[in-house]
Amino acid sequence: MSDQANGGNQGAQLRVLTQYVKDLSFENPNAPQSLGPVEDQPAINLRVDVGVKRMADTDFEVSLKIGAEAVTKDKPMFIAEIEYAALFRLVNIPQADLEAVLVVECPRQIFPFARRILADVTRDGGFPPLMIDPIDFVSLYQQRREQMAAQVENAANPD
């Protein structure tokens, strides 16, 4: 009988236990004037952040925060923000890989749901649906690690 057949060591597992909207905000500050035809293509400013909170030994809440602001001629057209989260159960993930799984793979799995909600809310607000391009969570993770390393170095070597 194999190890797996008798409940022994199994491979790494990542399961989504539940997912949900934690916070959702949409502002349409200049309606109805902002809803007509626009001469200039609006500038869309995006902010993305990932948060992780341990809930139990193997359970983690991973939240994906996305903020989008559309501006034309220095006037906001809309401001949309979502915090979309999921509860993940991670089993047999090596400790060295845990951080990367939590801030890269978990947000990658819930991103399509947050993206759809933002597209729906901007459409419901009277604008074309905001279709956010896929996010490179690996690059986001690497940038965050570099920023943290620089902060640690600056704290250790003040001028």
PDB file of all heavy atoms in Angstrom, residues 103-118:
ATOM      1  N   VAL A 103       1.315  35.396  -1.632  1.00  0.00           N
ATOM      2  CA  VAL A 103       1.243  36.719  -2.262  1.00  0.00           C
ATOM      3  C   VAL A 103       1.321  36.684  -3.782  1.00  0.00           C
ATOM      4  O   VAL A 103       1.200  37.721  -4.427  1.00  0.00           O
ATOM      5  CB  VAL A 103       2.292  37.706  -1.685  1.00  0.00           C
ATOM      6  CG1 VAL A 103       2.069  37.922  -0.207  1.00  0.00           C
ATOM      7  CG2 VAL A 103       3.692  37.246  -1.962  1.00  0.00           C
ATOM      8  N   VAL A 104       1.512  35.500  -4.365  1.00  0.00           N
ATOM      9  CA  VAL A 104       1.532  35.388  -5.826  1.00  0.00           C
ATOM     10  C   VAL A 104       0.394  34.478  -6.300  1.00  0.00           C
ATOM     11  O   VAL A 104      -0.491  34.902  -7.033  1.00  0.00           O
ATOM     12  CB  VAL A 104       2.901  34.868  -6.343  1.00  0.00           C
ATOM     13  CG1 VAL A 104       2.853  34.620  -7.845  1.00  0.00           C
ATOM     14  CG2 VAL A 104       4.007  35.844  -6.003  1.00  0.00           C
ATOM     15  N   GLU A 105       0.403  33.226  -5.880  1.00  0.00           N
ATOM     16  CA  GLU A 105      -0.572  32.268  -6.406  1.00  0.00           C
ATOM     17  C   GLU A 105      -1.989  32.520  -5.892  1.00  0.00           C
ATOM     18  O   GLU A 105      -2.952  32.465  -6.664  1.00  0.00           O
ATOM     19  CB  GLU A 105      -0.139  30.832  -6.078  1.00  0.00           C
ATOM     20  CG  GLU A 105      -0.995  29.783  -6.729  1.00  0.00           C
ATOM     21  CD  GLU A 105      -1.111  29.928  -8.241  1.00  0.00           C
ATOM     22  OE1 GLU A 105      -0.142  30.340  -8.914  1.00  0.00           O
ATOM     23  OE2 GLU A 105      -2.207  29.642  -8.775  1.00  0.00           O
ATOM     24  N   CYS A 106      -2.134  32.810  -4.608  1.00  0.00           N
ATOM     25  CA  CYS A 106      -3.479  33.041  -4.067  1.00  0.00           C
ATOM     26  C   CYS A 106      -4.152  34.263  -4.706  1.00  0.00           C
ATOM     27  O   CYS A 106      -5.290  34.152  -5.174  1.00  0.00           O
ATOM     28  CB  CYS A 106      -3.430  33.155  -2.545  1.00  0.00           C
ATOM     29  SG  CYS A 106      -3.003  31.598  -1.724  1.00  0.00           S
ATOM     30  N   PRO A 107      -3.487  35.422  -4.784  1.00  0.00           N
ATOM     31  CA  PRO A 107      -4.146  36.554  -5.447  1.00  0.00           C
ATOM     32  C   PRO A 107      -4.412  36.298  -6.934  1.00  0.00           C
ATOM     33  O   PRO A 107      -5.402  36.765  -7.478  1.00  0.00           O
ATOM     34  CB  PRO A 107      -3.192  37.729  -5.261  1.00  0.00           C
ATOM     35  CG  PRO A 107      -2.097  37.280  -4.412  1.00  0.00           C
ATOM     36  CD  PRO A 107      -2.233  35.817  -4.158  1.00  0.00           C
ATOM     37  N   ARG A 108      -3.538  35.539  -7.569  1.00  0.00           N
ATOM     38  CA  ARG A 108      -3.753  35.212  -8.986  1.00  0.00           C
ATOM     39  C   ARG A 108      -5.067  34.435  -9.152  1.00  0.00           C
ATOM     40  O   ARG A 108      -5.785  34.619 -10.125  1.00  0.00           O
ATOM     41  CB  ARG A 108      -2.575  34.396  -9.524  1.00  0.00           C
ATOM     42  CG  ARG A 108      -2.675  34.155 -11.013  1.00  0.00           C
ATOM     43  CD  ARG A 108      -1.598  33.276 -11.610  1.00  0.00           C
ATOM     44  NE  ARG A 108      -0.488  32.896 -10.795  1.00  0.00           N
ATOM     45  CZ  ARG A 108       0.784  33.143 -11.077  1.00  0.00           C
ATOM     46  NH1 ARG A 108       1.094  33.809 -12.168  1.00  0.00           N
ATOM     47  NH2 ARG A 108       1.744  32.728 -10.284  1.00  0.00           N
ATOM     48  N   GLN A 109      -5.391  33.593  -8.184  1.00  0.00           N
ATOM     49  CA  GLN A 109      -6.621  32.810  -8.276  1.00  0.00           C
ATOM     50  C   GLN A 109      -7.883  33.645  -8.065  1.00  0.00           C
ATOM     51  O   GLN A 109      -8.927  33.357  -8.649  1.00  0.00           O
ATOM     52  CB  GLN A 109      -6.588  31.649  -7.280  1.00  0.00           C
ATOM     53  CG  GLN A 109      -5.620  30.572  -7.698  1.00  0.00           C
ATOM     54  CD  GLN A 109      -5.834  29.291  -6.935  1.00  0.00           C
ATOM     55  OE1 GLN A 109      -6.863  29.076  -6.297  1.00  0.00           O
ATOM     56  NE2 GLN A 109      -4.852  28.411  -6.983  1.00  0.00           N
ATOM     57  N   ILE A 110      -7.812  34.684  -7.219  1.00  0.00           N
ATOM     58  CA  ILE A 110      -9.021  35.469  -6.943  1.00  0.00           C
ATOM     59  C   ILE A 110      -9.135  36.726  -7.814  1.00  0.00           C
ATOM     60  O   ILE A 110     -10.204  37.334  -7.871  1.00  0.00           O
ATOM     61  CB  ILE A 110      -9.145  35.829  -5.441  1.00  0.00           C
ATOM     62  CG1 ILE A 110      -7.993  36.705  -4.961  1.00  0.00           C
ATOM     63  CG2 ILE A 110      -9.279  34.566  -4.612  1.00  0.00           C
ATOM     64  CD1 ILE A 110      -8.140  37.190  -3.519  1.00  0.00           C
ATOM     65  N   PHE A 111      -8.059  37.099  -8.518  1.00  0.00           N
ATOM     66  CA  PHE A 111      -8.077  38.298  -9.349  1.00  0.00           C
ATOM     67  C   PHE A 111      -9.242  38.331 -10.348  1.00  0.00           C
ATOM     68  O   PHE A 111      -9.911  39.360 -10.478  1.00  0.00           O
ATOM     69  CB  PHE A 111      -6.740  38.490 -10.075  1.00  0.00           C
ATOM     70  CG  PHE A 111      -6.789  39.562 -11.127  1.00  0.00           C
ATOM     71  CD1 PHE A 111      -6.808  40.898 -10.765  1.00  0.00           C
ATOM     72  CD2 PHE A 111      -6.837  39.237 -12.471  1.00  0.00           C
ATOM     73  CE1 PHE A 111      -6.873  41.897 -11.724  1.00  0.00           C
ATOM     74  CE2 PHE A 111      -6.906  40.221 -13.440  1.00  0.00           C
ATOM     75  CZ  PHE A 111      -6.922  41.560 -13.066  1.00  0.00           C
ATOM     76  N   PRO A 112      -9.531  37.252 -11.081  1.00  0.00           N
ATOM     77  CA  PRO A 112     -10.618  37.338 -12.067  1.00  0.00           C
ATOM     78  C   PRO A 112     -11.973  37.733 -11.461  1.00  0.00           C
ATOM     79  O   PRO A 112     -12.764  38.417 -12.099  1.00  0.00           O
ATOM     80  CB  PRO A 112     -10.685  35.929 -12.662  1.00  0.00           C
ATOM     81  CG  PRO A 112      -9.321  35.359 -12.434  1.00  0.00           C
ATOM     82  CD  PRO A 112      -8.859  35.955 -11.131  1.00  0.00           C
ATOM     83  N   PHE A 113     -12.224  37.335 -10.228  1.00  0.00           N
ATOM     84  CA  PHE A 113     -13.485  37.663  -9.573  1.00  0.00           C
ATOM     85  C   PHE A 113     -13.534  39.150  -9.214  1.00  0.00           C
ATOM     86  O   PHE A 113     -14.548  39.822  -9.438  1.00  0.00           O
ATOM     87  CB  PHE A 113     -13.686  36.789  -8.333  1.00  0.00           C
ATOM     88  CG  PHE A 113     -13.681  35.323  -8.663  1.00  0.00           C
ATOM     89  CD1 PHE A 113     -12.529  34.569  -8.524  1.00  0.00           C
ATOM     90  CD2 PHE A 113     -14.827  34.696  -9.138  1.00  0.00           C
ATOM     91  CE1 PHE A 113     -12.515  33.214  -8.849  1.00  0.00           C
ATOM     92  CE2 PHE A 113     -14.831  33.350  -9.462  1.00  0.00           C
ATOM     93  CZ  PHE A 113     -13.669  32.606  -9.317  1.00  0.00           C
ATOM     94  N   ALA A 114     -12.431  39.679  -8.671  1.00  0.00           N
ATOM     95  CA  ALA A 114     -12.361  41.104  -8.344  1.00  0.00           C
ATOM     96  C   ALA A 114     -12.458  41.940  -9.623  1.00  0.00           C
ATOM     97  O   ALA A 114     -13.131  42.981  -9.660  1.00  0.00           O
ATOM     98  CB  ALA A 114     -11.062  41.414  -7.595  1.00  0.00           C
ATOM     99  N   ARG A 115     -11.806  41.492 -10.666  1.00  0.00           N
ATOM    100  CA  ARG A 115     -11.828  42.198 -11.959  1.00  0.00           C
ATOM    101  C   ARG A 115     -13.254  42.284 -12.506  1.00  0.00           C
ATOM    102  O   ARG A 115     -13.695  43.327 -12.974  1.00  0.00           O
ATOM    103  CB  ARG A 115     -10.927  41.455 -12.944  1.00  0.00           C
ATOM    104  CG  ARG A 115     -10.911  42.044 -14.327  1.00  0.00           C
ATOM    105  CD  ARG A 115     -10.001  41.184 -15.208  1.00  0.00           C
ATOM    106  NE  ARG A 115      -9.801  41.809 -16.486  1.00  0.00           N
ATOM    107  CZ  ARG A 115     -10.085  41.228 -17.650  1.00  0.00           C
ATOM    108  NH1 ARG A 115     -10.592  40.016 -17.673  1.00  0.00           N
ATOM    109  NH2 ARG A 115      -9.867  41.853 -18.768  1.00  0.00           N
ATOM    110  N   ARG A 116     -13.987  41.186 -12.439  1.00  0.00           N
ATOM    111  CA  ARG A 116     -15.362  41.177 -12.940  1.00  0.00           C
ATOM    112  C   ARG A 116     -16.246  42.130 -12.149  1.00  0.00           C
ATOM    113  O   ARG A 116     -17.061  42.860 -12.709  1.00  0.00           O
ATOM    114  CB  ARG A 116     -15.947  39.762 -12.889  1.00  0.00           C
ATOM    115  CG  ARG A 116     -17.376  39.702 -13.437  1.00  0.00           C
ATOM    116  CD  ARG A 116     -18.062  38.380 -13.160  1.00  0.00           C
ATOM    117  NE  ARG A 116     -18.017  37.958 -11.778  1.00  0.00           N
ATOM    118  CZ  ARG A 116     -18.798  38.437 -10.799  1.00  0.00           C
ATOM    119  NH1 ARG A 116     -19.685  39.370 -11.049  1.00  0.00           N
ATOM    120  NH2 ARG A 116     -18.687  37.976  -9.578  1.00  0.00           N
ATOM    121  N   ILE A 117     -16.087  42.153 -10.830  1.00  0.00           N
ATOM    122  CA  ILE A 117     -16.897  43.039  -9.991  1.00  0.00           C
ATOM    123  C   ILE A 117     -16.600  44.499 -10.340  1.00  0.00           C
ATOM    124  O   ILE A 117     -17.524  45.318 -10.459  1.00  0.00           O
ATOM    125  CB  ILE A 117     -16.661  42.748  -8.495  1.00  0.00           C
ATOM    126  CG1 ILE A 117     -17.206  41.356  -8.155  1.00  0.00           C
ATOM    127  CG2 ILE A 117     -17.307  43.814  -7.621  1.00  0.00           C
ATOM    128  CD1 ILE A 117     -16.758  40.822  -6.806  1.00  0.00           C
ATOM    129  N   LEU A 118     -15.318  44.853 -10.521  1.00  0.00           N
ATOM    130  CA  LEU A 118     -14.977  46.232 -10.906  1.00  0.00           C
ATOM    131  C   LEU A 118     -15.546  46.581 -12.282  1.00  0.00           C
ATOM    132  O   LEU A 118     -16.024  47.704 -12.496  1.00  0.00           O
ATOM    133  CB  LEU A 118     -13.467  46.444 -10.886  1.00  0.00           C
ATOM    134  CG  LEU A 118     -12.856  46.708  -9.523  1.00  0.00           C
ATOM    135  CD1 LEU A 118     -11.338  46.822  -9.619  1.00  0.00           C
ATOM    136  CD2 LEU A 118     -13.436  47.971  -8.895  1.00  0.00           C
TER     137      LEU A 118
END
